[in-house]
Amino acid sequence: MEKLNLLDKSSPEYHITRSYIESIVELPWGVYSKDRLDIKKSKTILDKDHYGLEDVKTNILEFISTVMKTGNVSGSILCLVGPPGVGKTSIGKSIAEALNRKFYRFSVGGMVDEAEIKGHRRTYVGAMPGKIIQALKLLKTTNPVIMIDEIDKIGNSFRGDPASALLEVLDPEQNKEFLDHYLDIRYDLSKILFVTTANQLDTIPRPLLDRMEIIQLPGYILEEKLQIATKYLIPHQLKEHGLDNKELVLVRLH
């Protein structure tokens, strides 16, 4: 603040310093949303949004029960593994809704720059915080559910190793004092519930894999697909297009 008072408003350094101070002020320091501690409501939300997947739902409800009992998510990282289109992302949204927390999703598929996670150093032109700090600024709460998609497709290059940067974000022993390069101030990420998704386990870096609780989402059999289409997809599409049941005719082709 003292530096800002000394700078001329037309100076580029003034705008850089002001943006930095605004980034710090906009963070939700000590602001938490209140968790919904109702396991029956959580089960209702999961059943409403997803057909079948009973084993998966049971695992998630056990996980939510632990969070409710301990009042703490530190050390808990879910990894939803399955083929595309089985509902991994929507399950993440349902977990956030069940806990009454805000939800943020970003993909690390093809990411090759660790600055995307840990932020740019302020010496660079156009420097900005990493994805995690940006999410907290947007959500205005310190304990959201953050979904990290496509963690099995994370890359690395001469610009750094994003997988190693993610280790600090996900490791419960380190994320209590996460240091974003842009902020250069310690921030506590331990109250965030991290959920990751992947299509396969083989390409996930081993140190990352060791820190996550794996939940497998298998594909659906034909009978389940029929039920999903009837109960979820068709009603959703009717609503999207402003139609009612009388205006839709389904023809079965042999």
Side-chain angles (χ1 to χ4, degrees):
M1 291 299 290
E2 288 174 3
K3 180 181 178 182
L4 194 66
N5 286 330
L6 295 171
L7 291 168
D8 185 77
K9 288 190 177 183
S10 60
S11 165
E13 185 74 13
Y14 176 87
H15 298 289
I16 291 169
T17 307
R18 179 170 174 157
S19 295
Y20 172 63
I21 292 169
E22 284 177 348
S23 293
I24 294 172
V25 172
E26 286 170 3
L27 280 170
W29 302 91
V31 178
Y32 303 96
S33 57
K34 189 175 180 181
D35 286 346
R36 181 190 287 121
L37 305 178
D38 186 343
I39 200 68
K40 289 182 180 177
K41 179 72 173 173
S42 299
K43 187 176 188 310
T44 303
I45 289 168
L46 286 171
D47 287 338
K48 178 189 74 175
D49 295 337
H50 304 91
Y51 178 81
L53 301 174
E54 294 307 323
D55 292 345
V56 174
K57 287 179 190 173
T58 301
N59 285 340
I60 290 169
L61 288 171
E62 286 173 358
F63 175 81
I64 291 172
S65 299
T66 306
V67 172
M68 290 174 179
K69 285 282 188 183
T70 60
N72 191 11
V73 299
S74 182
S76 306
I77 303 149
L78 291 179
C79 182
L80 306 173
V81 183
V86 294
K88 298 185 292 294
T89 303
S90 61
I91 281 178
K93 288 179 182 174
S94 296
I95 292 171
E97 189 183 346
L99 286 170
N100 193 34
R101 292 191 177 197
K102 292 187 178 178
F103 179 79
Y104 185 86
R105 173 200 161 275
F106 70 93
S107 174
V108 294
M111 185 182 286
V112 293
D113 189 355
E114 69 173 36
E116 294 269 353
I117 303 293
K118 295 196 69 175
H120 303 88
R121 299 189 189 279
R122 291 199 311 279
T123 49
Y124 297 110
V125 176
M128 57 195 300
K131 290 280 190 187
I132 306 298
I133 297 297
Q134 287 182 43
L136 296 176
K137 280 172 64 178
L138 182 70
L139 299 175
K140 303 295 184 189
T141 176
T142 306
N143 63 337
V145 174
I146 294 184
M147 172 164 274
I148 304 173
D149 258 341
E150 312 286 1
I151 201 168
D152 56 326
K153 298 177 184 66
I154 196 166
N156 65 43
S157 72
F158 65 93
R159 285 179 288 185
D161 182 4
S164 298
L166 264 182
L167 276 179
E168 186 181 351
V169 172
L170 298 178
D171 192 324
E173 294 302 316
Q174 297 182 56
N175 67 10
K176 292 175 186 172
E177 294 191 334
F178 174 70
L179 185 65
D180 185 274
H181 288 155
Y182 180 82
L183 284 186
D184 209 24
I185 298 174
R186 303 280 176 183
Y187 198 93
D188 183 5
L189 304 182
S190 63
K191 304 300 182 188
I192 298 173
L193 173 53
F194 289 102
V195 181
T196 65
T197 72
N199 297 134
Q200 55 186 12
L201 295 174
D202 304 344
T203 52
I204 300 176
R206 192 75 208 180
L208 270 180
L209 193 60
D210 290 343
R211 283 163 174 77
M212 298 188 290
E213 183 180 334
I214 309 299
I215 296 181
Q216 295 278 358
L217 276 80
Y220 297 100
I221 61 172
L222 190 60
E223 178 59 33
E224 288 176 326
K225 287 179 181 177
L226 183 63
Q227 292 294 332
I228 290 166
T230 307
K231 292 182 179 178
Y232 300 91
L233 300 182
I234 294 172
H236 177 73
Q237 288 302 317
L238 287 172
K239 186 178 177 182
E240 284 284 301
H241 293 86
L243 301 171
D244 58 37
N245 289 327
K246 295 176 183 176
E247 295 176 287
L248 177 72
V249 178
L250 291 175
V251 180
R252 183 173 181 177
L253 299 174
H254 293 282

